[in-house]
Amino acid sequence: MDEPTTPSPDGAGLTTGALARRLGVSPTTLRSWDRRYGIGPAVRDAGRHRRFSPEDVLVLEAMCRLTASGVPPAEAARLARQGTRPAPHATGEGPPPGRDTGPAAPADLRRECRGLSRAAVRLDAPAVQELLDRAVARHGLTGAWQEVMVPALHAVGRKWETSGDRYVEVEHLLSWQVSTTLRRHTRPPARGTDAPVVLACVPGEEHTLPIEALNAALSERHLATRMFGAAVPAEALTAAVRRLGPVAVVLWAQARSMATTALARHVAATRWGVSGARRRPLVMLAGPGWAGRSAAGTARPSTLSEALDMLATAAGAPLTPGRGPA
C-alpha cells in the first residue's frame, strides 16, 4: 500500500511523499538522511508513517540548501540541526584559502544545476536567487547562463513534460528569477552615437530569456543595445531599424512556426543613410526555430559565445572583454 502523500486530517504533519515533492528530493533521500544523520520526523503515527512537523520541515529545508551549495551531508545535517551558517568556503561562496580558481569541474556544475532545480521545485525563491547570483559570481554571466541556468531550465522543463501540468509553477518561478538575475546584471544603455545592436523576438514569439542573456552579455562588453523583447510586429521592427541604423539585428525564434525567412530577408535588405553611402545591418538568426533555414545577408551562430564574437566584430569592438581583436 502506498504511503499517503497529503497531510493527515488531524494536522499531524506532512508525509514523506508530500515533503519530498515540496523539497525537490526523492523519498529515498529523506529516509536516508533520517537513518544516517538523524534528520527525520519528530513523530510517527500509529500506522508507522512518518509525519514531518513544521519544525522538521525547516530543518530539512536548511539541509537541502546546504547540500545544494556543496556542503557534505554529514556537516550539512549538523548545521541544519543547529541552525547555524557555515563559513563561506564551505558553501561554495568562495574558494577555500590557498585554492586556485579555474574552470569548474563537471561534477561541480552538475551539483549547482541540481541545487538550483531543487530550490525551484520547492518554490524557494530566495534560495533560487542566491544560487543564481552565486553562479554569476563564480562563472561570469555568459558561463552561468550556459553552464547552470540553461541546464536547470531544461531539467525543470523535462520534469514538467513527464508529469503532466504539475510543475508549471516551478518553470514560471525559475524563468522569472533567471530573468531578474539577467536584468540585474545588464548595464544601463550607454548614451552616445554608437550604432546599437537591436534584439527582438519575431512576431508571435514570447520566449525572451535567451535574448535577455545575449543583451546582458553584450552590455558586459560595453556594446550598445536596444532590447524590444517578445513578439515584435514586423512593421514596428522595420521602423525601429530605419530609425536606429543598427550595426546588427538579432531575430530570436524558439518555435519553427514563428521563424519566417521573408521577415529576415526584409530586415537584411533595409537600408538607411545618405544616397551613395547607404548601410544595412547584419541580421543574426538566433534560436532553434531557425534550424535548417537561411537567408541572404544573415548569420546563424550556434552558441552564445559565437554570437557575441560576431556582434563584436560587426560593431568593431574587442572580441572578448579586455582584449583586442584576434
Side-chain angles (χ1 to χ4, degrees):
M1 179 177 176
D2 292 338
E3 181 182 274
T5 58
T6 56
S8 63
D10 60 2
L14 292 173
T15 64
T16 300
L19 183 56
R21 286 199 304 275
R22 175 169 171 172
L23 298 177
V25 300
S26 69
T28 301
T29 296
L30 292 180
R31 296 186 185 101
S32 174
W33 286 350
D34 184 12
R35 184 175 64 256
R36 294 182 180 183
Y37 312 118
I39 300 291
V43 298
R44 300 172 192 267
D45 64 19
R48 298 179 60 83
H49 292 306
R50 295 172 171 84
R51 297 286 178 178
F52 294 83
S53 70
E55 292 75 17
D56 298 329
V57 173
L58 290 175
V59 172
L60 282 158
E61 286 177 341
M63 178 79 171
C64 286
R65 285 194 295 270
L66 290 163
T67 54
S69 299
V71 178
E75 175 69 2
R78 182 184 68 81
L79 292 167
R81 283 194 299 267
Q82 293 178 351
T84 56
R85 182 175 176 82
H89 69 269
T91 63
E93 294 174 8
R99 178 181 295 179
D100 293 331
T101 59
D108 292 335
L109 291 171
R110 287 194 296 271
R111 183 171 61 244
E112 287 185 69
C113 294
R114 283 197 302 270
L116 183 57
S117 300
R118 288 170 178 171
V121 169
R122 298 195 304 270
L123 301 182
D124 189 345
V128 170
Q129 194 62 68
E130 181 180 352
L131 290 168
L132 288 170
D133 288 339
R134 192 179 300 162
V136 173
R138 186 178 296 169
H139 308 296
L141 189 61
T142 302
W145 167 256
Q146 293 178 315
E147 304 293 348
V148 179
M149 297 178 190
V150 170
L153 287 163
H154 286 171
V156 168
R158 287 193 298 271
K159 200 172 185 69
W160 172 24
E161 290 174 358
T162 58
S163 61
D165 291 334
R166 280 176 45 200
Y167 291 94
V168 175
E169 72 281 6
V170 175
E171 186 172 41
H172 278 252
L173 180 136
L174 180 57
S175 296
W176 175 254
Q177 295 297 337
V178 168
S179 177
T180 299
T181 300
L182 293 172
R183 296 188 191 196
R184 195 168 62 251
H185 288 87
T186 300
R187 299 173 185 270
R191 294 183 179 274
T193 59
D194 289 346
V197 175
V198 164
L199 302 105
C201 290
V202 298
E205 179 59 72
E206 299 289 342
H207 293 83
T208 63
L209 282 181
I211 59 169
E212 289 181 45
L214 179 57
N215 186 51
L218 288 169
S219 79
E220 275 195 320
R221 300 190 179 202
H222 304 280
L223 294 177
T225 65
R226 295 294 184 272
M227 165 66 84
F228 288 90
V232 182
E235 298 82 2
L237 178 60
T238 301
V241 169
R242 288 200 177 108
R243 290 176 61 186
L244 291 169
V247 294
V249 178
V250 179
L251 298 177
W252 174 266
Q254 180 79 18
R256 186 174 177 82
S257 60
M258 303 294 180
T260 59
T261 54
L263 173 62
R265 287 194 298 267
H266 178 69
V267 175
T270 302
R271 293 173 175 265
W272 60 86
V274 298
S275 179
R278 292 187 179 275
R279 295 184 294 133
R280 65 174 65 185
L282 166 70
V283 174
M284 180 173 288
L285 308 181
W290 295 106
R293 301 187 179 190
S294 62
T298 65
R300 177 87 172 90
S302 57
T303 65
L304 175 60
S305 297
E306 185 180 355
L308 286 170
D309 284 344
M310 283 184 182
L311 294 171
T313 299
L319 293 182
T320 55
R323 290 176 53 191

